[in-house]
Amino acid sequence: MHAEQGTLGGRRARMTAAQHGSLTRRPPELVRGPGTTVHAQIEDWLAGAISAGQLVPGDRLPTEHDLAAWLGVSRMTLRHALGELVQRGLVVRTVGRRGGTFVAEPKLDQDVTTLAGFSEQLRRHGMVAGARVLAADEIPAGPAAAAALGLADGDPVLEVRRLRLGDGRPMVLEDSLFPARLFPGMLSCRLDGSLYELLDQKFGQRPHRAKETFEPVIAGVWEAEALEIEESAPLMLVERTAYSRAGQPLEYARDLFRGDRTRVVIWTSELAGEL
């Protein structure tokens, strides 16, 4: 590393005090050469410290000046690394007298290996699920919904649009469509709980399996306002068709998950037989 680091005793002391001993006392070895970038190495190092629990949610990183000096890099290089961590949802930045860079709350693992509603997923993580109903109406099915639900264009479907909350904080925008003929009176029921439990308990039609596709998108003005994020922030669009045990399509949904609060987990196993 640079000779400058040998004179950083005071800065290192401030580093240790600022982090409560949560990071190593010596900076990582940064390779400078072709095929690698310094900011990517810093990003990986800080991400590894968060993953290993050396930095925990709420921890405040040292100032950009102190951290850049300790690492022996320019503030521009450090800002590049921190910016990538912000995009990944691992750290957050705030402004003002008490502002700074803080380790973000851990993301919710959205396990898609088994079919479970959002409320059930949150309960598995010890979080309180909530829902704010934005719209609930009977509308004619458009081409995509009709194809997914095995209906004709214009057949009536029940649309339920909700903002899903985890511990009171916005996490997902849901837009679910259900065949009206299968669920008469559904819109008169309470819609701020688990819809899958409602389908099961009132209509005896709990989804058994689903086809889901995942696509990264960015937030528009309306999505950003609803989810309390910045415009153009990353979102994960999950398009889902859920089926009953008998293969009857029950739901066609398009959900928008905050990219900084959730991540998708898929469990795989070895294929039976030979390829």
Side-chain angles (χ1 to χ4, degrees), residues 88-103:
R88 292 170 60 180
L90 296 179
V91 302
V92 293
R93 285 170 164 168
T94 60
V95 296
R97 292 182 60 186
R98 301 194 179 192
T101 303
F102 298 85
V103 178

Side-chain angles (χ1 to χ4, degrees), residues 220-233:
V221 175
W222 182 80
E223 293 86 2
E225 181 178 354
L227 290 169
E228 299 179 5
I229 55 178
E230 294 184 1
E231 187 179 351
S232 299

Side-chain angles (χ1 to χ4, degrees), residues 30-107:
L30 300 176
V31 178
R32 291 169 169 82
T36 185
T37 60
V38 172
H39 69 80
Q41 294 175 64
I42 296 172
E43 176 191 348
D44 289 344
W45 172 66
L46 286 171
I50 294 171
S51 177
Q54 295 171 337
L55 290 170
V56 299
D59 274 357
R60 180 176 182 172
L61 298 185
T63 66
E64 288 184 358
H65 177 273
D66 286 347
L67 188 53
W70 186 68
L71 292 167
V73 301
S74 69
R75 292 180 69 176
M76 181 178 296
T77 295
L78 177 63
R79 285 174 182 168
H80 195 164
L82 294 178
E84 293 297 321
L85 291 172
V86 170
Q87 289 295 317
R88 292 170 60 180
L90 296 179
V91 302
V92 293
R93 285 170 164 168
T94 60
V95 296
R97 292 182 60 186
R98 301 194 179 192
T101 303
F102 298 85
V103 178
E105 292 295 323
K107 294 186 178 184

Side-chain angles (χ1 to χ4, degrees), residues 25 48 69 81 85 101 118 126 144 150 153 183 212 230:
R25 292 180 176 272
L85 291 172
T101 303
F118 182 74
D153 284 3
F183 306 109
E212 295 182 295
E230 294 184 1

Side-chain angles (χ1 to χ4, degrees), residues 263-275:
R263 62 181 181 181
V264 174
V265 176
I266 302 175
W267 288 82
T268 59
S269 60
E270 185 179 8
L271 291 174
E274 295 181 357
L275 294 178

